[in-house]
Amino acid sequence: MEAAEKRLHRVRRHQRVRRRVSGSSERPRLAVYRSNRHIYAQLIDDVAARTVASASDMESGVAADGNKTARAKAVGEALARRAREAGVEGAVFDRGGRLYQGRVAAVAEGAREGGLRI
């Protein structure tokens, strides 16, 4: 499978997920973006079209030493901490068209351990 075709399939999966998943002020959407080197997570209020909180492994203090999965879990914990500061207790999970495994699942686990209800 070519890289362009692989990306197209992921984008189509993401569009299917986004038809059903929408964030609100009470339960924003936890959107995860994974590149080859880094991972980013945002809490998005789709009704007001604003980002409530965000975290990535590129920020100082967030990135834990170790492999990419450990860094992804640290991103989830940092996002949960910032969500509590913003007054958010729960979220709906948007995996971005990726499989729920590896680094994507580690972000969700870290957010749950940080106290965010997914």
Side-chain angles (χ1 to χ4, degrees), residues 10 13 32-35 95-101 104:
R10 185 190 67 78
R13 276 192 307 272
V32 176
Y33 175 73
R34 176 183 70 87
S35 72
R95 57 191 170 88
R98 306 248 184 221
L99 291 176
Y100 186 83
Q101 68 178 16
V104 175

Side-chain angles (χ1 to χ4, degrees), residues 29-94:
R29 176 170 54 97
L30 196 164
V32 176
Y33 175 73
R34 176 183 70 87
S35 72
N36 286 337
R37 297 177 105 190
H38 299 289
I39 191 142
Y40 311 85
Q42 292 181 323
L43 286 174
I44 303 169
D45 179 0
D46 289 315
V47 176
R50 71 182 194 97
T51 300
V52 177
S54 66
S56 86
D57 65 345
M58 293 177 54
E59 300 171 5
S60 62
V62 172
D65 292 332
N67 59 11
K68 292 187 271 189
T69 306
R71 292 197 318 254
K73 191 170 185 178
V75 167
E77 291 169 352
L79 185 68
R81 193 170 42 252
R82 292 174 186 171
R84 274 197 316 262
E85 292 170 3
V88 175
E89 295 178 5
V92 292
F93 194 72
D94 177 10

Side-chain angles (χ1 to χ4, degrees), residues 14-26:
H14 191 206
Q15 288 171 346
R16 278 197 308 267
V17 170
R18 286 289 291 123
R19 279 189 213 124
R20 292 177 177 223
V21 175
S22 180
S24 63
S25 58
E26 296 85 29

